[in-house]
Amino acid sequence: MTVAHLPTRPAKFFDPATEVHFDEQLGTWHVFGLADVQRVLSDEEHFSAGYGLTDETRPLANAMLSGMWAADGQRHRDLRAAVADPFSPRVMARLEERIRAISVELVDDLDPAGFDVVARIARPLPTRVICHLLGLDLSAETLMTAWLEEWYKASVTTNTLPSQSEMARFFADEVDRQRSEPKGGLIAELIAAQDRGYLVDGRPVSDWDLVGYCAMLLGAGVDTVYASIPNAVLFLTEFGCWDELRADPSLIPGAVEETMRWYPVFPGPRRLVLRDVEIGGRTIPAGQWVTGWLSAANRDPSRYADPEVFDIRRRTRIMTFGHGPHHCLGAGLARLEQRVLLEEMVRRLPLLRRETSAPLVRREWMLDNLETATFRFD
């Protein structure tokens, strides 16, 4: 669904006090309260992120579903640990320099009279960072953008994922190339783990596992930041925070956190019910789907004082990156990219304003993102 408006909160926001209920149209149970959402995302005995895939069916599945985010139990733990802490402080420190250089280049190239923050900043920054992280040539940036758009359009129009065989072949070919010519990125580290005989759920890590890892980084590492950056710029502008940030850049990390609390870009992760379970006073049968609404959990008054107030000085853990075993591995990278970008924007740009004569278009589905948003600076 595409809408042209400026919501003050996500369209998929629900009152945390609302009763757990089944949605006939979407075929899922909706869960809203913080404690209930945390249970849905952490209780692997009753809820599965594997979407019913097995080791037998997985090789035929879309590459996007072959990574750790569509796996449970030992397979998930092994895939997650295949590269020892890929986002360690040491790695983050090295990446920060690269992220800052990209941010400076993008910000200095903005047109003061008007620029689309989605096209000019939000798309290129995370794709270039992921290219650097994987050891890919920057020419892959255009391909990545096209694959993500294909994935998103198919999920909206057909509620399924496209096979994306071109993407799978690209990453498979890149794995082969980097076997003979390592480029020092995550793909090279994954190949090294494979060469050491690394096991995933008791089986040697396969080339398809490596392809799935790359596809997962593309989806999670690019889309999360791509959708979060325009939200940050929009809300910090609309709520009049730019002067504060320019006067005191130390507020930027808290500002990033609050924009992500205010509007989580993946508002409702789904889980498959493995066995009958009671939650929120309702019995949910095995085989049905449950959606745990992060957008609601992020406004649960049991954790957040005055949850309907946008406050960049708020200091509270957010649910935007999930909870439990599947808490986003790249959460630190997403925060780093946004922090560094905003530091360079407040340092290098005068007062930023939204161009109200231009349409503000948001797409709302599995990923809630701005499709276009125009700003100017004086």
Side-chain angles (χ1 to χ4, degrees), residues 56-77:
E56 288 69 32
T57 62
R58 196 175 300 276
L60 302 177
N62 181 286
M64 283 282 194
L65 296 179
S66 298
M68 67 183 72
W69 61 3
D72 284 320
Q74 192 61 46
R75 176 176 171 80
H76 173 260
R77 289 189 291 273

Side-chain angles (χ1 to χ4, degrees), residues 2 68-69 75 81 102 134 147-148 163 231 245 265 283 315 318 323 325 355 364 366 368 373:
T2 300
M68 67 183 72
W69 61 3
R75 176 176 171 80
I102 297 171
L134 291 173
W147 292 330
L148 288 170
S163 62
N231 280 346
L245 297 181
V265 296
T283 298
R315 295 292 181 270
I318 61 175
H323 181 76
E355 182 51 73
E364 296 172 339
M366 291 190 301
D368 280 3

Side-chain angles (χ1 to χ4, degrees), residues 35-332:
D36 288 341
V37 171
Q38 287 179 328
R39 183 184 176 193
V40 167
L41 299 182
S42 61
D43 180 357
E44 292 187 293
E45 179 182 351
H46 292 93
F47 304 99
S48 169
Y51 307 121
L53 296 173
T54 66
D55 286 336
E56 288 69 32
T57 62
R58 196 175 300 276
L60 302 177
N62 181 286
M64 283 282 194
L65 296 179
S66 298
M68 67 183 72
W69 61 3
D72 284 320
Q74 192 61 46
R75 176 176 171 80
H76 173 260
R77 289 189 291 273
D78 289 341
L79 286 172
R80 193 175 177 105
V83 175
D85 201 355
F87 303 109
S88 66
R90 175 184 58 82
V91 175
M92 290 295 97
R94 188 176 73 245
L95 278 175
E96 180 168 350
E97 181 179 353
R98 181 61 180 158
I99 292 168
R100 194 170 301 279
I102 297 171
S103 298
V104 168
E105 179 182 353
L106 293 173
V107 172
D108 285 351
D109 196 39
L110 295 175
D111 183 354
F115 64 92
D116 181 0
V117 70
V118 178
R120 303 298 297 177
I121 296 179
R123 266 302 188 201
L125 176 60
T127 50
R128 292 178 192 181
V129 170
I130 290 298
C131 282
H132 177 73
L133 194 62
L134 291 173
L136 302 177
D137 188 273
L138 280 181
S139 61
E141 178 186 343
T142 302
L143 290 172
M144 288 184 174
T145 299
W147 292 330
L148 288 170
E149 189 64 18
E150 178 188 19
W151 176 85
Y152 186 83
K153 285 182 177 179
S155 69
V156 170
T157 57
T158 67
N159 201 29
T160 60
L161 292 180
S163 62
Q164 296 193 291
S165 55
E166 179 190 13
M167 178 184 68
R169 284 196 303 270
F170 173 88
F171 283 125
D173 290 345
E174 189 62 33
V175 168
D176 284 341
R177 276 193 294 271
Q178 292 203 31
R179 278 201 175 94
S180 57
E181 298 178 11
K183 296 183 179 179
L186 272 181
I187 291 179
E189 293 188 43
L190 288 166
I191 293 169
Q194 187 182 52
D195 290 343
R196 291 194 304 269
Y198 188 80
L199 300 179
V200 173
D201 199 13
R203 303 181 182 186
V205 62
S206 67
D207 285 0
W208 187 248
D209 290 330
L210 303 192
V211 169
Y213 198 108
C214 294
M216 179 275 300
L217 275 179
L218 173 61
V222 173
D223 258 4
T224 301
V225 182
Y226 145 67
S228 296
I229 287 172
N231 280 346
V233 175
L234 173 64
F235 293 126
L236 293 173
T237 301
E238 294 299 314
F239 288 108
C241 300
W242 282 100
D243 281 340
E244 288 182 88
L245 297 181
R246 294 178 69 194
D248 185 2
S250 70
L251 294 173
I252 289 176
V256 168
E257 216 61 7
E258 182 68 349
T259 60
M260 291 192 294
R261 181 192 74 88
W262 193 255
Y263 211 112
V265 296
F266 285 104
R270 292 203 310 171
R271 295 291 187 265
L272 181 66
V273 180
L274 297 175
R275 60 189 67 184
D276 293 0
V277 62
E278 182 176 319
I279 191 165
R282 304 294 299 274
T283 298
I284 303 177
Q288 296 196 338
W289 293 96
V290 173
T291 301
W293 288 100
L294 303 178
S295 48
N298 268 345
R299 294 169 186 259
D300 191 321
S302 69
R303 170 174 290 180
Y304 306 99
D306 299 319
E308 295 300 321
V309 174
F310 185 86
D311 181 5
I312 62 175
R313 290 173 171 80
R314 189 186 299 273
R315 295 292 181 270
T316 312
R317 289 179 294 116
I318 61 175
M319 285 287 292
T320 298
F321 293 104
H323 181 76
H326 283 269
H327 182 271
C328 180
L329 183 65

Side-chain angles (χ1 to χ4, degrees), residues 1-2 149 152 226 362-365 367-369 371:
M1 178 173 64
T2 300
E149 189 64 18
Y152 186 83
Y226 145 67
R362 182 179 291 281
R363 298 190 296 191
E364 296 172 339
W365 194 244
L367 176 74
D368 280 3
N369 65 288
E371 191 173 69

Side-chain angles (χ1 to χ4, degrees), residues 322-367:
H323 181 76
H326 283 269
H327 182 271
C328 180
L329 183 65
L333 177 60
R335 289 180 167 106
L336 175 63
E337 289 181 69
Q338 292 178 80
R339 172 180 65 78
V340 170
L341 173 65
L342 289 176
E343 286 173 352
E344 294 306 324
M345 290 185 77
V346 301
R347 178 181 295 124
R348 309 177 85 81
L349 299 180
L351 185 62
L352 197 67
R353 305 179 189 278
R354 184 168 71 88
E355 182 51 73
T356 55
S357 63
L360 184 74
V361 180
R362 182 179 291 281
R363 298 190 296 191
E364 296 172 339
W365 194 244
M366 291 190 301
L367 176 74

